[in-house]
Amino acid sequence: KKQKKPRIGMSINNDFELIVFNRHPDLLDVKSQMLANGAFLVSLSGSGSCLYAVVDDNIKNKILKYLTGIGATYFDAETV
């Protein structure tokens, strides 16, 4: 699947995504859906312990609804 480009100049590249998404295409689907729901950026953390997303408060509710609907565990973090 073609991945949607990040908005507002945000870009992060994790080389492990190619390997992890090939073995676990469902994670690529989750990333794609979070981007489709408005996330500014979604990336695999490190070597693949989780996906993280950059969102604002308006988008956050859509993302949380989607993640809850698929039974995903999520954690809320804010910048300091």
Side-chain angles (χ1 to χ4, degrees):
K1 289 183 179 180
K2 187 173 181 178
Q3 295 182 20
K4 191 174 173 183
K5 294 232 182 225
R7 292 184 279 181
I8 61 171
M10 289 187 186
S11 179
I12 291 182
N13 184 36
N14 182 332
D15 292 335
F16 281 109
E17 285 191 2
L18 181 61
I19 297 164
V20 172
F21 292 162
N22 278 331
R23 290 187 181 197
H24 304 282
D26 52 322
L27 293 177
L28 177 57
D29 291 340
V30 172
K31 178 178 178 172
S32 298
Q33 285 300 314
M34 289 198 299
L35 288 168
N37 277 290
F40 299 116
L41 175 127
V42 180
S43 185
L44 194 66
S45 70
S47 60
S49 59
C50 70
L51 287 169
Y52 66 92
V54 176
V55 300
D56 64 18
D57 286 336
N58 295 324
I59 295 167
K60 178 181 169 183
N61 291 330
K62 291 167 82 174
I63 299 293
L64 294 181
K65 183 177 178 182
Y66 164 71
L67 293 174
T68 300
I70 64 169
T73 301
Y74 60 87
F75 300 93
D76 200 6
E78 294 184 23
T79 58
V80 181

